[in-house]
Amino acid sequence: MSKLAIITGASSGIGKATAEAFAKLGIDLILCGRRIERLEALKETLEKSVNVHILTFDVRNREAVETALNSLPEALKQVDILVNNAGNAHGLGTIQDGEVADWDAMIDGNVKGLLYVSKVVMPWMIARQAGHIINISSIAGKQTYPNGNVYCASKAAVEAISEGMRLDLNPHGIKVTNVAPGAVETEFSLVRFKGDNERSDSVYKGFQPLVAEDIADIIAFAVTRPAHVVMADILVYPTAQASPSVINRK
Ligand code: NDP
């Protein structure tokens, strides 16, 4: 029987690449995000090989999260894999100059949004005594870098939530994988710098960053391990990177 996965933030970057990798594995998909036209385009492509369902909601809106997920027919609540990927950085600057709206977006999206989605899906997995939750954290969650402050805090929270899930879901046979990427070239920096292309491009200048497909490959590896194996915590850098701020640029 084919597996079923929910991927949040499937409209772009790592989430989209993960959806493509899962489709190659024959995993049916529930794709989530706010930009419906992108999700529909992806659905059109991927449903040539697997069943694809779309849900549009802002993860920051608890009511919208609950309404969307609970609207799924029973068959689509038999979820094997949840990829908590939706998230972004907003701004890069000193904490004393930080915008409160940016802090809210990061804490509400990266932390509370992940919790809201998980809160609905975990009971479905517990009922079946099986499942696999993959949380997309970041090197930023393991090491705080200058000007990263609240984004780093939001990802440190994801690290703690992954550990907490692993402990508390342990009696229920649910796997928890924490994936912490370094620099991946996606729309991430464009969002962080509020559409400033030049600033965004400069992040990836002079070295080969990871691409979304590199992370998707690793997630695909994690979900295809045998039942008794869990990839618990994965840190992935591009070869040119040694820490959040040490990057060998030519
Ligand atoms: P992208 O900006 O390309 O993708 C972000 C995805 O998250 C989009 O699909 C977006 O969908 C979704 N999203 C963002 N905010 C919300 C929201 N409030 N509600 C619903 N969906 C939301 O960036 P990445 O692919 O790089 O980011 C994916 C994850 O990887 C994030 O959690 C990020 O923090 C993490 N990460 C990224 C790294 C990088 O260098 N790129 C490094 C380490 C971690 P839509 O706008 O359609 O809602």
Side-chain angles (χ1 to χ4, degrees), residues 8-15 32-36 38-39 57-60 84-90 105 109-110 136-139 151 155 179-189 191 204 212:
T8 67
S11 56
S12 159
I14 294 169
C32 311
R34 290 166 299 181
R35 289 170 290 181
I36 186 157
R38 288 205 183 195
L39 295 175
F57 55 81
D58 186 327
V59 293
R60 294 173 294 183
N84 276 317
N85 163 76
N88 273 119
H90 299 277
N110 304 353
I136 308 301
S137 173
S138 169
I139 180 54
Y151 177 65
K155 289 300 182 176
V179 181
V184 192
E185 189 165 10
T186 59
E187 292 174 20
F188 178 83
S189 291
V191 174
Y204 310 106

Side-chain angles (χ1 to χ4, degrees), residues 174-185:
I174 296 169
K175 296 186 186 189
V176 179
T177 297
N178 188 75
V179 181
V184 192
E185 189 165 10

Side-chain angles (χ1 to χ4, degrees), residues 3 130-132 170 173-177 221-232:
K3 288 194 170 180
H132 192 165
N170 172 269
I174 296 169
K175 296 186 186 189
V176 179
T177 297
F221 181 77
V223 302
T224 50
R225 293 312 82 212
H228 69 288
V229 179
V230 59
M231 305 290 299

Side-chain angles (χ1 to χ4, degrees), residues 171-230:
H172 302 290
I174 296 169
K175 296 186 186 189
V176 179
T177 297
N178 188 75
V179 181
V184 192
E185 189 165 10
T186 59
E187 292 174 20
F188 178 83
S189 291
L190 201 60
V191 174
R192 170 170 247 174
F193 298 124
K194 305 180 196 313
D196 182 338
N197 273 304
E198 211 174 313
R199 227 180 142 193
S200 164
D201 288 348
S202 73
V203 173
Y204 310 106
K205 279 255 164 70
F207 75 106
Q208 171 65 62
L210 296 168
V211 292
E213 288 71 19
D214 295 322
I215 304 301
D217 263 0
I218 284 158
I219 295 171
F221 181 77
V223 302
T224 50
R225 293 312 82 212
H228 69 288
V229 179
V230 59

